[in-house]
Amino acid sequence: MKLVTFDDGQVGRIADDQVIELDVASVREFFERDRQAAETGRRYPLDGVRLRAPIVPKKFFHTAGNFREHHEDLARVNWSHPVNKGIVFFQNVDAIIGPGDPVVYPGQLTSELDYELEMAIVIGKPGKFFSADQAAEHIGGYLVFNDITARDIQRREMQSGVFSFSKAIETFCPIGPYILTADEVDDPHDLDMELRVNGQVRQKSNTRKMSVSIPQLVAYHSPQVYSAGDLITTGTVAGVAASTDDPFANYLKPGDVVEAEIEKLGILRNPVISWRDAYGTDAPAADSWM
């Protein structure tokens, strides 16, 4: 099932280029109800609805460094700090945007806006302190995530060993376009991944290259206590702008369009726009004590 949130917050599933509305208040509630929701009888053409972020979780767990190729890519250009497996932190759920929503470039805060293609896991069943062997029953589905990152801010944060501000600024968390339920993904460890900027391929890999498996990731975070609808990211792959020979030629800027795609999970497309285009005013001055 391809689950979506659309228009004014209605919930539906995609079938045959239509959205079939479900009688439930949110996708999170759909999972809280153990994936049980009747159809309302209303159907809409897919190209006639506005898709929103498919879910807003209670908790959003980040896993960084899970693809060794990403660490090796950054090490090759002597980037600030190593990005090995084992880095975990929370994402700001208020930064979530959906397909087609703009990433607003906060030029007063950063000049190094980067992309990171990732897969996210949707928790379908609450739980805590369970093993990797038990993880499958807690996985509700998967979706595409683009982990927008201000690299200049991240470097300063990593001096203390922790980073999250650089990834949690408003609009820095695109997810979507839909959630594909776990029963429709035969092997989540064999999905092609590709990210494009203005049609140019920047990242290309496969989920099989993860260092830590999805059941292990889900079990690892379980002591933090899951609610239905929580999200876990699986880390990005090689090819971010920061790892290129000329990062400033590849960092995102207003006018760019980013397409993050994972096999079976769809294409998450987001434009990058300026602060003025977003809000009609100059950006406010940025205060910093760092």
Side-chain angles (χ1 to χ4, degrees):
M1 185 184 301
K2 294 178 180 178
L3 290 168
V4 294
T5 298
F6 66 100
D7 289 349
D8 296 321
Q10 297 102 301
V11 175
R13 65 180 181 89
I14 297 174
D16 299 324
D17 295 323
Q18 289 189 315
V19 175
I20 301 169
E21 188 178 40
L22 301 177
D23 188 16
V24 65
S26 68
V27 171
R28 195 171 89 194
E29 184 178 309
F30 173 84
F31 287 109
E32 289 170 345
R33 289 189 192 179
D34 195 25
R35 305 169 229 191
Q36 301 299 313
E39 297 177 5
T40 66
R42 291 186 286 271
R43 295 179 174 227
Y44 307 86
L46 178 58
D47 60 6
V49 303
R50 175 74 170 86
L51 295 183
R52 307 293 183 179
I55 194 167
V56 178
K58 287 181 70 175
K59 297 185 293 298
F60 195 136
F61 303 91
H62 259 289
T63 307
N66 192 27
F67 286 79
R68 183 154 184 83
E69 63 183 74
H70 176 52
H71 162 73
E72 292 173 347
D73 214 25
L74 291 171
R76 178 181 54 80
V77 297
N78 197 29
W79 198 73
S80 175
H81 293 75
V83 185
N84 288 310
K85 67 180 183 180
I87 302 173
V88 297
F89 56 96
F90 282 111
Q91 173 61 276
N92 167 26
V93 298
D94 289 332
I96 289 174
I97 59 173
D101 291 337
V103 174
V104 180
Y105 188 102
Q108 76 277 30
L109 295 176
T110 181
S111 61
E112 300 180 27
L113 194 66
D114 211 343
Y115 48 82
E116 289 191 3
L117 170 60
E118 303 193 25
M119 184 167 74
I121 304 158
V122 185
I123 294 298
K125 176 184 174 181
K128 56 186 177 181
F129 293 104
F130 54 79
S131 69
D133 289 338
Q134 298 168 309
E137 65 186 88
H138 295 272
I139 297 174
Y142 305 92
L143 77 164
V144 182
F145 167 50
N146 185 3
D147 183 17
I148 302 294
T149 306
R151 296 295 183 197
D152 37 10
I153 298 174
Q154 185 185 29
R155 280 196 302 275
R156 295 196 299 269
E157 289 188 291
M158 289 184 77
Q159 292 174 10
S160 65
V162 177
F163 54 86
S164 80
F165 187 102
S166 55
K167 296 171 175 285
I169 296 167
E170 185 184 28
T171 75
F172 275 27
C173 189
I175 61 172
Y178 51 79
I179 294 169
L180 186 62
T181 52
D183 59 296
E184 295 202 25
V185 182
D186 293 332
D187 185 1
H189 299 100
D190 188 19
L191 301 176
D192 288 332
M193 307 172 72
E194 183 173 289
L195 182 138
R196 301 174 293 276
V197 178
N198 304 327
Q200 179 189 48
V201 176
R202 299 284 186 86
Q203 294 183 279
K204 192 175 183 68
S205 192
N206 187 284
T207 56
R208 75 171 70 94
K209 296 183 179 180
M210 282 188 280
S211 299
V212 182
S213 72
I214 288 170
Q216 288 174 309
L217 284 179
V218 173
Y220 180 81
H221 285 283
S222 68
Q224 295 174 286
V225 186
Y226 289 130
S227 300
D230 285 347
L231 297 181
I232 307 168
T233 69
T234 57
T236 196
V237 301
V240 298
S243 69
T244 62
D245 293 335
D246 188 359
F248 283 93
N250 293 294
Y251 284 134
L252 298 174
K253 59 186 182 301
D256 286 342
V257 176
V258 188
E259 294 176 308
E261 181 175 9
I262 299 178
E263 183 181 357
K264 296 185 178 183
L265 307 186
I267 300 173
L268 173 62
R269 183 180 293 105
N270 298 94
V272 181
I273 67 173
S274 69
W275 187 279
R276 175 163 285 280
D277 285 344
Y279 302 113
T281 63
D282 291 333
D287 289 327
S288 176
W289 43 264
M290 293 183 71

